[in-house]
Amino acid sequence: MIRCVRWLGLPLDAFDDWVRTPVDPRPLAFFRFWFGFLCLVNLLLLWNDLPMWLGNDGVLPPQTHLLLQDGTRFNLYMFTGYNDGTITLIRWCGLAGGLGLLAGFFPRVSACAMWLAVSSFSWRNMNILHSGDNLIRIGCFFLMFAHSGEAFTLRRWIATRRAGVGLKPFRHIPAWPQRILQLQLCVAYFVAGIWKATGVAWQSGTAVGTVLQLGEFQRFPIPDWVMTPIVSQLMTHGTLLFELGFPFLIWIPSLRMPVLLVGIVFHAGLEWTMNVQLFQWLITAYYLLFLGPLFSTSTQATAVGPAATTAGPACSA
Amino acid sequence: MLSFFHACFAIANRWPTVLTAAYSLAVLSWSMPADLFPCKSALDAITGQPLIFFNLWQGWEMFSPEPRSEDIWVGILVIDRNGSQHRWPLTHMIEMPYFTRWQKERWRKYCNDHLRLDAERTLWKPFVEYWLRTLQAKGHDPVAIELTRFWRPTQLPVSAALRADVYRGPWNHFVFYRWTAPERGPR
């Protein structure tokens, strides 16, 4: 019995180590930079249409919105009520947050500002949201708690240029926000795969061919050989394999880079064929969080604090 | 007693681990189909409200369990008092230039996934009233506005000739909402 409990405890200890062992700040900082840029693009795409989507004289006036909303969600409208001035607040919060994330300028405050902006427009008109908005809200939320300003910041770049010497070593940072975002990506893929696997069209291999027929999603031209039953079947089952395999294979160190490369090819294909705005860019931005090993050979990262001196588990990317 | 406090301290010290595990389990439960995740209702009852409050709710069921089996778009017809008619294919994405259809993704989402549906009829009147105000501001004088949904089924087996930019098959259509201006009284 005791031996059994010890065996069960091993993976829990490994998980605990994986979450609590400080990590190289560069993957998270790189993510913050690119993610901030995508948040800005998302905001600018919405900028002119915000009064129409959110305004009291827009397509969803308060009396209709009241009928549709459920649950209490933290957002700017909690403080302002149905007020068109909130649109200006959303715009400036989003702009300041996006620029701050991009430059690494007060990154936690910037993440908070962007999270407030996105949460507010998400609450005010849920009918315009897509999966990319989920990734933005979640990413911003956990960046609020992360030390993402340790690398790739404008301030650091200017300081280094002024000093005229080499870069200062990076300090290792708490890993848990990065771990949560890594697991979040795995959950998203796994759940998407499970939902698809329950559908008849996905089981029979016709799903991707059917989707490619739909004009509402069609983007750039695709060669005729793609629109054949056999290729449709390959792509449908390939999608299922990728989405269900990613959450498990990504943790095997020797497979990590191949899995990420397959993911990039998969999403690049979707970006070419399908019109889903920023989703492919946002989901692949999360891949940057898995690039720890790329930086591990560099001598610039310096472990700080007692926990950082211990080696992490093999999959501590 | 001392060992109890020691154990409590050890657990408190591991809060990042507890938080990471709890969050992952919560979002997994939130997003999974109910029939495939038996403890979903119990877990969601505990974690659902915090996920909603902090805007961490999510859904990953795009094109599933079945992809849409009909190609669709929504159009609007405006009839002015002078009898002139103006049609706008609001979400006929395939007819738009590449950049415009990318930019108008949220239009597609709003109109095709929500406005078009009978279940979301509460959206129809405010949508038309918004158009009315916008058109009046531009000098139009609409007497009728119609919202029309267009659809045609996708076909199997998959073939290049059935792609939306190639296939020229007929569209079914149905006017799902019509607004008419109130009669003007004698002056």
Side-chain angles (χ1 to χ4, degrees):
Chain A
M1 180 68 181
I2 292 169
R3 184 175 289 178
C4 192
V5 170
R6 275 188 192 152
W7 274 98
L8 280 174
L10 283 177
L12 291 179
D13 285 345
F15 183 74
D16 185 48
D17 264 358
W18 179 70
V19 173
R20 295 199 307 138
T21 305
V23 287
D24 189 305
R26 283 169 289 183
L28 190 70
F30 198 7
F31 168 75
R32 183 217 72 229
F33 169 79
W34 182 234
F35 183 74
F37 173 74
L38 294 173
C39 289
L40 270 180
V41 176
N42 187 52
L43 178 76
L44 295 177
L45 281 166
L46 259 171
W47 193 275
N48 286 334
D49 288 341
L50 278 174
M52 177 184 68
W53 295 130
L54 315 184
N56 291 348
D57 285 333
V59 296
L60 201 61
Q63 58 273 28
T64 311
H65 180 250
L66 282 168
L67 299 173
L68 302 175
Q69 62 155 319
D70 62 325
T72 310
R73 293 155 207 254
F74 192 86
N75 68 85
L76 291 169
Y77 285 97
M78 280 178 92
F79 308 102
T80 62
Y82 288 106
N83 181 339
D84 281 349
T86 316
I87 295 172
T88 311
L89 213 52
I90 289 173
R91 279 177 174 157
W92 292 108
C93 263
L95 193 63
L99 288 172
L101 286 172
L102 190 66
F105 190 68
F106 293 109
R108 287 174 163 184
V109 179
S110 302
C112 183
M114 180 53 88
W115 176 75
L116 270 175
V118 180
S119 299
S120 303
F121 82 68
S122 300
W123 175 80
R124 186 62 182 82
N125 194 340
M126 291 184 75
N127 296 339
I128 58 170
L129 303 182
H130 51 65
S131 303
D133 295 315
N134 291 340
L135 293 170
I136 291 181
R137 277 196 322 272
I138 295 162
C140 287
F141 185 82
F142 288 106
L143 280 177
M144 284 196 279
F145 305 100
H147 293 252
S148 65
E150 293 291 329
F152 304 134
T153 64
L154 193 60
R155 188 186 289 175
R156 186 183 162 87
W157 183 74
I158 291 170
T160 310
R161 277 183 70 94
R162 279 193 185 152
V165 292
L167 289 167
K168 281 190 296 181
F170 297 109
R171 287 183 308 166
H172 278 199
I173 55 168
W176 70 267
Q178 185 175 338
R179 300 306 186 207
I180 285 189
L181 291 175
Q182 287 176 318
L183 289 170
Q184 170 66 66
L185 181 66
C186 292
V187 167
Y189 274 131
F190 182 69
V191 169
I194 290 285
W195 271 101
K196 288 187 177 79
T198 58
V200 176
W202 289 95
Q203 289 163 10
S204 67
T206 57
V208 169
T210 306
V211 170
L212 291 178
Q213 273 188 41
L214 299 175
E216 66 169 318
F217 296 109
Q218 204 165 305
R219 201 163 183 210
F220 299 123
I222 46 174
D224 285 355
W225 59 264
V226 174
M227 292 294 289
T228 53
I230 184 81
V231 176
S232 167
Q233 199 151 13
L234 279 173
M235 290 194 297
T236 303
H237 291 145
T239 303
L240 285 178
L241 271 178
F242 173 72
E243 291 190 341
L244 291 172
F246 182 100
F248 302 101
L249 301 178
I250 194 69
W251 303 113
I252 301 171
S254 59
L255 292 180
R256 184 169 303 132
M257 291 316 288
V259 169
L260 292 177
L261 276 175
V262 170
I264 295 285
V265 172
F266 173 72
H267 287 291
L270 290 175
E271 178 67 12
W272 179 268
T273 52
M274 298 193 58
N275 188 40
V276 276
Q277 223 174 44
L278 290 175
F279 177 71
Q280 318 299 344
W281 296 91
L282 283 160
I283 200 162
T284 47
Y286 276 64
Y287 285 17
L288 299 173
L289 298 166
F290 290 89
L291 295 185
L294 280 189
F295 295 107
S296 63
T297 50
S298 164
T299 54
Q300 285 203 344
T302 305
V304 172
T309 57
T310 58
C315 57
S316 62
Chain B
M1 192 65 178
L2 201 64
S3 62
F4 173 75
F5 281 119
H6 185 74
C8 287
F9 181 76
I11 292 171
N13 200 30
R14 284 176 161 73
W15 67 265
T17 311
V18 175
L19 179 70
T20 305
Y23 174 77
S24 305
L25 187 64
V27 292
L28 181 72
S29 167
W30 176 271
S31 322
M32 283 286 279
D35 50 341
L36 292 179
F37 201 69
C39 37
K40 181 179 169 65
S41 54
L43 275 173
D44 286 359
I46 301 165
T47 60
Q49 279 309 312
L51 285 181
I52 290 173
F53 183 77
F54 290 111
N55 296 293
L56 296 168
W57 46 272
Q58 50 199 273
W60 308 107
E61 58 266 22
M62 199 177 184
F63 302 125
S64 55
E66 304 295 340
R68 189 173 280 157
S69 58
E70 285 171 335
D71 209 358
I72 52 177
W73 57 280
V74 174
I76 191 166
L77 169 70
V78 176
I79 303 169
D80 277 342
R81 197 166 293 279
N82 62 10
S84 62
Q85 296 192 353
H86 309 274
R87 286 175 194 278
W88 284 280
L90 298 179
T91 57
H92 201 183
M93 311 302 278
I94 200 74
E95 298 295 325
M96 296 177 190
Y98 291 128
F99 183 72
T100 312
R101 75 175 80 155
W102 182 72
Q103 205 182 9
K104 294 282 181 191
E105 166 65 7
R106 291 187 196 273
W107 273 90
R108 183 200 67 74
K109 196 80 190 166
Y110 192 84
C111 294
N112 290 7
D113 289 3
H114 298 281
L115 183 74
R116 177 185 64 97
L117 304 172
D118 287 339
E120 306 217 26
R121 61 179 65 241
T122 47
L123 302 177
W124 298 347
K125 188 165 176 270
F127 187 82
V128 165
E129 284 172 348
Y130 169 79
W131 270 83
L132 181 65
R133 282 192 297 272
T134 308
L135 290 167
Q136 283 173 338
K138 288 180 179 172
H140 288 264
D141 186 12
V143 289
I145 301 180
E146 287 179 359
L147 294 175
T148 308
R149 54 180 168 237
F150 294 82
W151 73 98
R152 69 183 178 200
T154 54
Q155 297 168 48
L156 292 173
V158 175
S159 145
L162 294 173
R163 232 173 39 210
D165 56 340
V166 179
Y167 182 58
R168 293 286 164 225
W171 290 94
N172 304 301
H173 60 94
F174 177 72
V175 176
F176 62 93
Y177 185 71
R178 182 181 169 86
W179 170 88
T180 47
E183 289 290 322
R184 280 184 181 170
R187 294 192 175 185

